[in-house]
């Protein structure tokens, strides 16, 4: 596909968060009542954690947020400036400025809504033995309004995009915005993609999730989220392949032809359910000593997958690219990557 056709082809909307990432110990997790390898929203008891992480010698600040990570990785894989765009809400502060320069450096066209009152959202990334736990303090990210989306210069990004990706986390912020773009995608024969994103989304935002999943041509998730999704619906199966199949067969909104479910399982094969069939694809195995941290692995997988999908490649190629991107990301700290991809 020629570079000119790729301009603005992929749009993401979500919660832009500045990752405050540090290696900690089990005692740190216990102190703040954090489970390993989970993703949660911050409660009052978690708030002192951000300063404590910031004071560590090994702390790193990385522009993050699930959707923004996926969009940055897709942009990196595509190597075509402006192929991707992104919307979300930040504060008017130094973290917000850092976010803007990071998006610009990544080649992403970012139209942030800047909130006057709330600080830019942050995400505590606690790394123990290479596994990450995420505690998101949404702050400004929680303030995104559909009014911003409806402004002509922002809606233009929606009009231009042929693929729209939104992580489930955004369901807690602006279901109205998601609905607007989901309906636009259905009416204009565009591809709309969602992510299950976290067990708590599947458990506590089921209605909002259900409403928008009917518009989703692709649903991504990992094995933990898939099992919770199944449990909440009383499907009485823990088998990831069966669950993927059931997800792919959930009801579709009018204008939608079929759905593909893509479930990752860490080092185990990726499960893809499509047209009543299930396929599995092996991931690229990484020796334990090369693992730096798993933060952003799932986001990177989606980014890699999207980079091929927008070019009309096969599902197999999409999964391959997803596995490649995830493999690169887990060898780096946070959702970061080398200058150029080495994927062919």
């Amino acid at each position: 596909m020629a570079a000119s056709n790729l301009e603005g082809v992929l749009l993401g909307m979500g919660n832009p968060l500045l990752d405050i990432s540090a290696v900690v110990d089990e005692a740190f997790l216990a102190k703040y009542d954090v489970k390993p390898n989970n993703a949660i929203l911050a409660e009052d008891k978690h708030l002192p954690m951000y300063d404590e992480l910031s004071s560590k010698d090994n702390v790193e600040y990385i522009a993050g947020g699930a959707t923004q990570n996926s969009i940055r990785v897709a942009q990196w894989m595509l190597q075509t400036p402006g192929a991707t765009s992104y919307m979300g809400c930040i504060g008017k502060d130094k973290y917000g400025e850092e976010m803007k320069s990071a998006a610009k450096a990544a080649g992403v066209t970012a139209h942030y809504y800047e909130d006057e009152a709330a600080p830019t959202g942050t995400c505590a990334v606690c790394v123990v033995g290479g596994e990450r736990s995420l505690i998101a303090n949404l702050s400004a990210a929680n303030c995104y309004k559909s009014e911003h989306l409806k402004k002509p210069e922002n809606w233009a990004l929606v009009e231009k995009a042929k693929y729209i990706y939104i992580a489930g986390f955004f369901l807690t912020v602006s279901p109205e915005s998601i609905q607007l773009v989901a309906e636009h995608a259905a009416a204009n024969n565009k591809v709309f993609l969602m992510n299950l994103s976290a067990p708590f989304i599947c458990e506590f935002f089921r209605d909002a999730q259900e409403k928008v999943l009917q518009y989703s041509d692709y649903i991504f998730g990992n094995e933990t989220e898939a099992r919770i999704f199944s449990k909440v619906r009383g499907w009485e199966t823990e088998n990831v392949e069966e669950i993927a199949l059931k997800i792919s067969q959930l009801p579709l909104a009018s204008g939608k032809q079929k759905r593909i479910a893509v479930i990752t399982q860490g080092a185990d094969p990726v499960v893809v359910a499509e047209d009543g069939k299930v396929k599995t694809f092996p991931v690229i195995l990484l020796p334990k000593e090369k693992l730096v941290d798993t933060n952003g692995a799932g986001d990177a997988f989606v980014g890699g997958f999207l980079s091929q999908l927008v070019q009309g490649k096969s599902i197999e190629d999409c999964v391959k690219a997803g596995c490649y991107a995830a493999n690169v990301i887990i060898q780096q700290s946070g959702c970061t990557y080398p200058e150029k991809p080495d994927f062919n």
Side-chain angles (χ1 to χ4, degrees):
M1 197 162 174
S4 57
N5 301 352
L6 283 174
E7 200 205 333
V9 69
L10 172 62
L11 167 67
M13 290 170 70
N15 302 335
L17 302 172
L18 195 73
D19 284 354
I20 303 173
S21 176
V23 174
V24 299
D25 53 19
E26 311 247 338
F28 184 92
L29 294 190
K31 175 179 175 182
Y32 290 106
D33 190 23
V34 170
K35 289 193 186 79
N37 215 4
N38 202 1
I40 57 170
L41 294 177
E43 297 167 41
D44 289 345
K45 66 182 177 188
H46 298 121
L47 297 180
M49 174 192 285
Y50 297 86
D51 283 342
E52 193 175 337
L53 280 176
S54 297
S55 68
K56 291 195 178 291
D57 295 341
N58 62 5
V59 69
E60 289 180 273
Y61 297 93
I62 301 158
T67 308
Q68 185 162 246
N69 283 342
S70 295
I71 295 297
R72 280 195 305 124
V73 169
Q75 179 61 51
W76 169 69
M77 292 281 288
L78 284 162
Q79 291 287 309
T80 305
T84 64
S85 54
Y86 177 79
M87 284 187 266
C89 184
I90 57 175
K92 288 198 160 174
D93 51 22
K94 71 172 200 296
Y95 284 171
E97 289 307 312
E98 213 156 302
M99 202 82 81
K100 285 195 276 193
S101 62
K104 197 173 175 175
V108 176
T109 306
H111 287 202
Y112 295 111
Y113 171 49
E114 295 182 50
D115 190 88
E116 299 285 342
T120 295
T122 47
C123 183
V125 181
C126 307
V127 181
V128 180
E131 297 288 346
R132 57 79 179 134
S133 281
L134 309 174
I135 304 89
N137 184 12
L138 296 180
S139 296
N142 209 16
C143 303
Y144 190 83
K145 307 275 185 292
S146 57
E147 288 78 63
H148 177 261
L149 173 65
K150 291 173 187 165
K151 284 187 175 158
E153 66 272 27
N154 300 327
W155 190 254
L157 297 179
V158 180
E159 294 275 2
K160 187 178 268 185
K162 293 184 175 65
Y163 295 80
I164 300 168
Y165 171 69
I166 300 178
F169 294 117
F170 202 50
L171 285 166
T172 71
V173 173
S174 187
E176 190 192 350
S177 299
I178 303 180
Q179 202 64 26
L180 284 170
V181 296
E183 287 172 10
H184 166 85
N188 295 278
N189 211 11
K190 295 180 173 185
V191 178
F192 182 73
L193 312 95
M194 280 292 292
N195 202 313
L196 299 178
S197 291
F200 82 88
I201 299 284
C202 301
E203 284 185 283
F204 305 117
F205 292 88
R206 180 181 169 171
D207 294 348
Q209 189 185 50
E210 208 125 280
K211 203 173 163 188
V212 68
L213 287 188
Q214 56 174 330
Y215 289 95
S216 308
D217 302 279
Y218 288 79
I219 295 174
F220 297 94
N222 65 28
E223 76 279 34
T224 313
E225 295 148 11
R227 289 187 176 124
I228 294 283
F229 190 90
S230 168
K231 189 178 155 191
V232 167
R233 280 161 183 71
W235 287 350
E236 293 181 4
T237 176
E238 294 248 309
N239 180 307
V240 174
E241 295 187 22
E242 274 179 51
I243 297 167
L245 200 55
K246 280 182 175 291
I247 290 174
S248 72
Q249 292 166 336
L250 287 168
L252 288 161
S254 67
K256 292 288 170 183
Q257 305 305 311
K258 71 167 191 176
R259 179 185 301 108
I260 298 175
V262 183
I263 309 295
T264 58
Q265 311 185 85
D268 292 327
V270 178
V271 175
V272 178
E274 174 182 15
D275 296 332
K277 290 191 278 295
V278 175
K279 283 193 183 125
T280 58
F281 300 91
V283 302
I284 307 161
L285 292 175
L286 187 71
K288 191 81 178 137
E289 65 275 11
K290 283 193 165 177
L291 173 72
V292 175
D293 76 58
T294 56
N295 183 28
D299 303 337
F301 174 85
V302 174
F305 188 101
L306 290 170
S307 73
Q308 304 308 298
L309 190 68
V310 302
Q311 299 181 75
K313 300 284 177 67
S314 70
I315 291 287
E316 194 169 352
D317 287 342
C318 294
V319 172
K320 247 184 212 149
C323 292
Y324 164 79
N327 183 267
V328 169
I329 296 296
I330 60 177
Q331 297 181 64
Q332 311 257 344
S333 178
C335 193
T336 57
Y337 38 76
E339 193 185 341
K340 289 256 192 299
D342 168 26
F343 175 77
N344 37 35

